[in-house]
Amino acid sequence: MPVQGKETFASKLFDVFNYLLMIVFALLCLYPFYYVFIYSLSDPGASASGIFLWPVSPTLGSYVRIMSLGTIPAAFFVSACKTILGTVLCVYASSLFAYFMTRKEMFARTAIYRFVIASMYLHAGLIPWYLTMKTYGLKDSFLLYIIPSAVNAFFIILVKTYIESIPASLEESAEIDGAGFMKIFHAIIFPLSKPIVATVAVYSAVGLWNSWQDNFFLVNKESLQTIQLILYNYLNEASELANNAVKQTSGGMLKTDEVSPESIKMTITIISIIPIMFVYPFLQRYFVKGIMLGAVKG
C-alpha cells in the first residue's frame, strides 16, 4: 500500500495530464484572438498565403488607414466617456439601491425588490423602448448613453446579496456613534463591497462599451456617434475602404496594396476589443471573489 501523505505515480500522472489538458484548452481559447492580431499586422499580400505564429512582413498600414478616418478619434472619445461615466453611475446607483433593499425600515421593501426581479423577465419590446426614450428627451442626447443603464436589476441582486453577508454589527455600531444612513453607506458598506463592486464595474463597462443599438436607433448627430457603430459600418464596408486606400507620392495619388478587406476587418476587430481588455487586469483580483460571494445567498 502507498504511504499516506505521499502522492502515487498514478496521481502524479493524472495531475500532469490535467495541467496539459488545461494548457491546451487555454491555447485553443487564446489563439483565435492572437491570430486576428498577427493578421492585422501582416502584409495583406503575404498573409494571403497563410500565417500561423508570427506576422508576415509586419506593417501598420491597416491601422493607419482606419485611424486616418476623421470620425474614429471623436467616436472613440464619445465611447470612452460613455463607458467611464456610465460605469461610475451604474455602480453607485445600483449599489445605493441595493443598500435600500437591505434596510428593514424601508417602506414596501419586499414588494419593490420583487418588482425589480420581475423586470428581468418582462420586456416591452423595441417600439415602447424607443417611444419612452424619445418622450424623456433622450434622443440625440449624450445622456441616452448613461441614464437608462444607471440601475440594473441583476447588479442590484448581486450587490444586495453581498451586503447582506456583511455583519450587521458594523452598521449598529455606526448608528450608535450617530452615523446616518448615507454616512454608513459611504463610510462602511461601499468600501467593504469592493469585490462585488468590481464585478459590477466589469459587467457594466463591457456592456456599455459594446452597446450600439441606442446609437443606431436614437442618435443622428455625428458628434455623438460611438465607435462601436462606426466600426460596425466600416466592417460592412471593408471592401470599399480597401479599394479606396491610397498613398500620397510625388507623382500624385497611387493605389497601394497595404490593406485588404480581410486586414481591415481584422484591424477593426482589434480596435474594438483592445480598450475594454485593459479593465480586467485591474479588477480581476476582485472579480471571482465578488461573483462567488454575491451568489451564496439570495
Side-chain angles (χ1 to χ4, degrees):
M1 294 187 60
V3 179
Q4 187 175 5
K6 292 186 177 180
E7 290 185 309
T8 63
F9 175 77
S11 63
K12 290 182 179 179
L13 184 62
F14 180 74
D15 290 340
V16 171
F17 175 78
N18 278 339
Y19 282 122
L20 292 176
L21 182 63
M22 292 299 103
I23 291 174
V24 171
F25 181 74
L27 291 176
L28 290 175
C29 294
L30 293 175
Y31 183 74
F33 170 75
Y34 178 71
Y35 178 83
V36 171
F37 177 67
I38 62 176
Y39 196 106
S40 68
L41 294 176
S42 299
D43 179 79
S47 61
S49 58
I51 56 176
F52 182 58
L53 290 177
W54 311 107
V56 180
S57 303
T59 176
L60 295 176
S62 298
Y63 288 93
V64 172
R65 174 57 183 162
I66 291 296
M67 297 307 296
S68 66
L69 300 172
T71 53
I72 291 292
F76 191 92
F77 178 75
V78 171
S79 292
C81 292
K82 162 189 173 180
T83 302
I84 295 173
L85 296 177
T87 299
V88 171
L89 179 60
C90 179
V91 168
Y92 180 78
S94 297
S95 300
L96 184 59
F97 194 101
Y99 184 51
F100 287 157
M101 296 295 99
T102 64
R103 301 290 294 191
K104 295 181 180 179
E105 64 270 24
M106 180 175 176
F107 175 75
R109 177 172 65 104
T110 302
I112 295 175
Y113 185 61
R114 289 176 179 175
F115 180 80
V116 170
I117 296 176
S119 67
M120 298 177 62
Y121 301 95
L122 302 175
H123 193 276
L126 177 61
I127 295 177
W129 170 81
Y130 176 86
L131 294 176
T132 300
M133 296 299 105
K134 187 176 180 180
T135 302
Y136 286 159
L138 296 178
K139 186 176 182 180
D140 285 326
S141 171
F142 180 77
L143 295 178
L144 170 70
Y145 296 140
I146 58 177
I147 290 182
S149 60
V151 177
N152 184 287
F154 177 62
F155 299 159
I156 290 172
I157 295 173
L158 289 179
V159 178
K160 174 182 178 294
T161 305
Y162 187 91
I163 292 176
E164 288 175 341
S165 67
I166 299 175
S169 57
L170 294 177
E171 295 183 59
E172 295 172 357
S173 300
E175 289 175 352
I176 292 175
D177 291 337
F181 177 85
M182 297 301 293
K183 180 66 175 180
I184 294 174
F185 174 75
H186 290 107
I188 299 177
I189 301 301
F190 196 75
L192 292 178
S193 302
K194 284 183 179 179
I196 198 64
V197 166
T199 303
V200 170
V202 170
Y203 280 140
S204 178
V206 172
L208 288 168
W209 178 262
N210 291 331
S211 176
W212 59 272
Q213 293 91 342
D214 45 6
N215 185 179
F216 182 78
F217 290 109
L218 286 164
V219 177
N220 295 320
K221 290 184 179 179
E222 187 173 338
S223 60
L224 292 177
Q225 297 297 307
T226 60
I227 193 170
Q228 292 299 332
L229 182 60
I230 288 179
L231 292 181
Y232 173 77
N233 292 333
Y234 287 160
L235 191 64
N236 293 331
E237 300 168 0
S239 298
E240 182 179 351
L241 290 174
N243 292 334
N244 292 335
V246 293
K247 61 181 179 181
Q248 180 72 41
T249 66
S250 58
M253 304 296 286
L254 299 177
K255 291 272 184 172
T256 178
D257 58 355
E258 288 185 354
V259 293
S260 68
E262 290 74 19
S263 64
I264 290 289
K265 292 179 180 179
M266 299 298 182
T267 304
I268 289 174
T269 302
I270 294 298
I271 294 175
S272 300
I273 63 179
I274 281 292
I276 200 63
M277 290 184 64
F278 286 102
V279 175
Y280 285 93
F282 298 102
L283 301 177
Q284 183 181 15
R285 64 192 182 107
Y286 297 112
F287 185 80
V288 176
K289 181 180 178 181
I291 197 66
M292 292 299 294
L293 291 178
V296 172
K297 296 173 63 180

